[in-house]
Amino acid sequence: MEPKPTPPARDAYDAVIVGGGHNGLVAAAYLALAGRRVLVLERLPHTGGAAVSTRPFAGVDARLSRYSYLVSLLPRKIVRELRLPFDVRKRTISSYTPALRGEHATGLLVDGSDPARTRDSFVRLTGSDRDFEAWESFYGMTQRAAGRIFPTLTEPLPSRAELRERVDDETAWRALFEEPLGATVEDLFQDDLVRGVVLTDGLIGTFADAHDPELPQNRCFLYHVIGGGTGDWNVPVGGMGAFTDALADVARAAGAEIVTGHEATGIATDGTRAEVRYRSADGVEGTLGARQVLVNAAPEALDRLLGREPAERAEGAQLKVNMVLRRLPELRDRTVDPREAFAGTFHIAEGYGQLADAYREAAAGRLPSRPPSEIYCHSLTDPSILGGDLAARGHHTLTLFGLHTPARLFEHDHDAVLAELLRSTLDELDAHLAEPIADCLATDADGRPCIEAKSPLDLERELRLPGGNIFHRELAFPYAGETTGRWGVETEHPNVLLCGAGAVRGGGVSGVPGHNAAMAALGR
């Protein structure tokens, strides 16, 4: 539980951190441990930002990771150096993708611990082991690149040439950094479903065509395959809130002040000293002095805090759905146990052609007729998020993340559009189930189904994510550009740093921009 908000002191701080999301808390912990006097200002009544756990359904003791939900990019270095009492668990299954081949229900099961089983699944789906061999070769290549790229995320930014030399694999460099992801996928894989499973990692929260020459899909894909040096996506034990609660505790124990219910409203700086204006939830306004300001908010928000119009407008493109079930649904594909199918990433309507169709429809201003999405079940890997006897009674949580639903589609008649999208998304899921998902939903204390859906505009309203963009803006390749500083967090003001997802090497639950902003603030 968050301590009761208290007004911040009025005298100068070494650093004021705007925003108490996970990156702001990482920065606060590092700076406080280095002996700096640190204040965190958080608009909401709690810390955590998008990395929080909550019980959204009345009377149902299930602590859901409401927004962000898996961990890949968090370096163990940060966990170790901050001595965080936090852990993750590896999922037993990488992914399952159901498919209907004529009237026959089948699917692709990728078991990360059993290559022979995965090969059998490829053969059963595609009729040969060609795509399996290509899969093993491709992801072997990305894993080797991950092992070389991931450690650089918490080092000063390398140049493009330095990172290329570090990767030391021209085939990997070309596939990840130079050629559109779609070209690589089409060259290596034959089966449409296999192609789609590969492509999805380039489209999470990123509205792009597989062949976009500007390569936003490649940048998104890169961050999805380098995490931890392995590309594994892991389950946060205790839910995402366990991570940010631990961060807040460490920061406070080191001496950082964290004040919730206080929103930063402006920043003035001469490059050496800064003033941060704020307003409390009850309307009290004040000004704080600081040597440095670290902004754990989007670049658009930083522009407004500095009193200027934003230089760019971000847009998110996802649907987030949380559910609590009385039981896992049975599948039409009887060869797979639902406890395995939902333990990893369960892909829905994510064939290569389906993804292309959905992108074209959304780009033309229409909801995808067959919206693509993916699901996972946290409680299969970590039942600790279920209180009482829910686990014993067979209850489970499901998290669904939809693709190719840009914010612009919700600007008119938001609620009706969201309801239509949720219905059609669940219809796509139901096509692969032996029973409707609605029949499996638990009910809350008022008898309502335990399901909630969030559009990009909901995320903008609740979390101040610009246009609902979960990365704050388009992701950048993890090397220095013409205007980036030593750590990728610098702004035109020497004492104002960006420590949120919009920094170079930001995005995802990583703590990386928080770490890097702290290193820049400490002059390292």
Side-chain angles (χ1 to χ4, degrees):
M1 180 178 294
E2 293 289 336
K4 184 178 179 180
T6 56
R10 293 185 177 277
D11 50 341
Y13 290 86
D14 292 314
V16 169
I17 297 175
V18 175
H22 81 282
N23 279 308
L25 296 173
V26 167
Y30 271 106
L31 292 176
L33 287 167
R36 299 294 176 90
R37 189 178 182 201
V38 180
L39 173 72
V40 179
L41 287 178
E42 170 53 48
R43 172 182 65 90
L44 295 172
H46 56 79
T47 55
V52 294
S53 296
T54 188
R55 296 174 177 83
F57 306 116
V60 179
D61 191 11
R63 195 165 183 257
L64 306 183
S65 298
R66 196 170 205 174
Y67 305 107
S68 57
Y69 51 96
L70 287 172
V71 176
S72 173
L73 292 164
L74 172 65
R76 295 304 299 178
K77 165 187 168 71
I78 292 176
V79 175
R80 182 178 64 253
E81 290 179 346
L82 297 184
R83 298 182 179 178
L84 290 176
F86 170 74
D87 203 0
V88 296
R89 289 182 186 162
K90 187 171 181 177
R91 298 186 293 176
T92 56
I93 298 295
S94 297
S95 69
Y96 170 71
T97 309
L100 297 175
R101 298 285 165 97
E103 294 298 315
H104 179 59
T106 184
L108 179 65
L109 184 75
V110 179
D111 185 333
S113 62
D114 191 341
R117 189 181 185 202
T118 301
R119 179 190 291 270
D120 289 344
S121 186
F122 269 84
V123 172
R124 189 165 54 249
L125 177 75
T126 68
S128 79
D129 61 2
R130 182 195 181 281
D131 275 355
F132 172 77
E133 296 293 345
W135 179 281
E136 289 286 278
S137 175
F138 179 68
Y139 283 106
M141 177 190 72
T142 64
Q143 189 171 73
R144 289 189 296 274
R148 296 164 183 174
I149 296 170
F150 189 70
T152 71
L153 299 190
T154 50
E155 299 171 358
L157 267 175
S159 68
R160 178 183 171 93
E162 288 169 339
L163 188 62
R164 186 172 190 161
E165 183 177 0
R166 187 119 170 202
V167 170
D168 192 27
D169 182 334
E170 284 304 305
T171 300
W173 183 266
R174 186 169 61 253
L176 295 172
F177 292 88
E178 293 185 346
E179 293 183 352
L181 180 59
T184 299
V185 169
E186 291 173 15
D187 181 56
L188 295 179
F189 303 100
Q190 290 184 333
D191 187 85
D192 180 85
L193 195 71
V194 176
R195 287 177 171 182
V197 173
V198 178
L199 178 61
T200 53
D201 278 342
L203 304 178
I204 302 297
T206 298
F207 186 56
D209 180 76
H211 291 275
D212 190 326
E214 298 299 316
L215 306 184
Q217 72 281 26
N218 286 51
R219 296 192 291 274
C220 183
F221 184 82
L222 179 71
Y223 284 98
H224 277 85
V225 299
I226 64 171
T230 64
D232 290 335
W233 283 83
N234 298 317
V235 176
V237 176
M240 199 61 77
F243 172 50
T244 44
D245 289 348
L247 278 172
D249 289 344
V250 167
R252 289 192 183 98
E257 297 177 49
I258 301 176
V259 180
T260 58
H262 285 67
E263 179 179 6
T265 58
I267 298 171
T269 180
D270 63 5
T272 302
R273 304 288 298 177
E275 289 188 342
V276 179
R277 300 187 300 279
Y278 69 88
R279 180 173 54 247
S280 70
D282 55 6
V284 176
E285 297 185 347
T287 302
L288 301 165
R291 290 195 303 112
Q292 296 172 312
V293 181
L294 282 65
V295 179
N296 182 27
E300 287 184 31
L302 174 58
D303 283 337
R304 293 191 180 94
L305 288 169
L306 291 170
R308 63 195 184 200
E309 283 299 308
E312 55 184 294
R313 173 62 176 166
E315 182 182 38
Q318 69 280 322
L319 170 73
K320 179 64 165 41
V321 182
N322 294 310
M323 294 174 262
V324 178
L325 307 183
R326 292 183 292 110
R327 66 177 185 277
L328 290 175
E330 293 296 325
L331 305 177
R332 290 185 62 183
D333 179 4
R334 296 294 185 176
T335 67
V336 179
D337 185 331
R339 294 180 62 85
E340 289 194 310
F342 288 103
T345 300
F346 189 109
H347 297 279
I348 307 161
E350 290 189 334
Y352 195 70
Q354 290 172 319
L355 289 168
D357 290 343
Y359 175 79
R360 283 192 291 268
E361 289 174 312
R366 304 187 303 274
L367 284 176
S369 55
R370 300 188 63 187
S373 63
E374 42 201 58
I375 288 178
Y376 102 106
C377 177
H378 183 122
S379 52
L380 281 169
T381 304
D382 172 33
S384 73
I385 64 168
L386 298 176
D389 64 346
L390 290 182
R393 289 159 52 197
H395 282 54
H396 283 289
T397 65
L398 283 189
T399 293
L400 181 149
F401 191 93
L403 311 182
H404 286 338
T405 56
R408 70 193 82 157
L409 300 181
F410 300 88
E411 291 176 347
H412 302 289
D413 205 1
H414 172 274
D415 292 352
V417 172
L418 180 58
E420 179 184 350
L421 177 62
L422 178 60
R423 177 193 56 74
S424 57
T425 298
L426 296 183
D427 284 347
E428 289 300 314
L429 171 60
D430 282 347
H432 302 286
L433 304 181
E435 55 183 331
I437 191 67
D439 289 355
C440 301
L441 290 172
T443 54
D444 68 11
D446 300 314
R448 293 173 297 205
C450 291
I451 183 169
E452 67 168 10
K454 304 285 186 182
S455 75
L457 297 187
D458 288 325
L459 299 188
E460 181 172 52
R461 173 176 50 82
E462 296 170 11
L463 300 176
R464 300 284 176 86
L465 298 179
N469 191 305
I470 60 175
F471 306 130
H472 289 186
R473 61 177 171 185
E474 278 198 2
L475 292 166
F477 281 126
Y479 51 69
E482 293 181 1
T483 60
T484 54
R486 173 175 168 79
W487 286 97
V489 299
E490 294 82 357
T491 73
E492 72 272 30
H493 301 290
N495 63 338
V496 178
L497 303 170
L498 193 64
C499 72
V504 179
R505 304 181 292 189
V509 176
S510 72
V512 168
H515 167 276
N516 292 348
M519 296 303 104
L522 294 169
R524 296 181 181 172

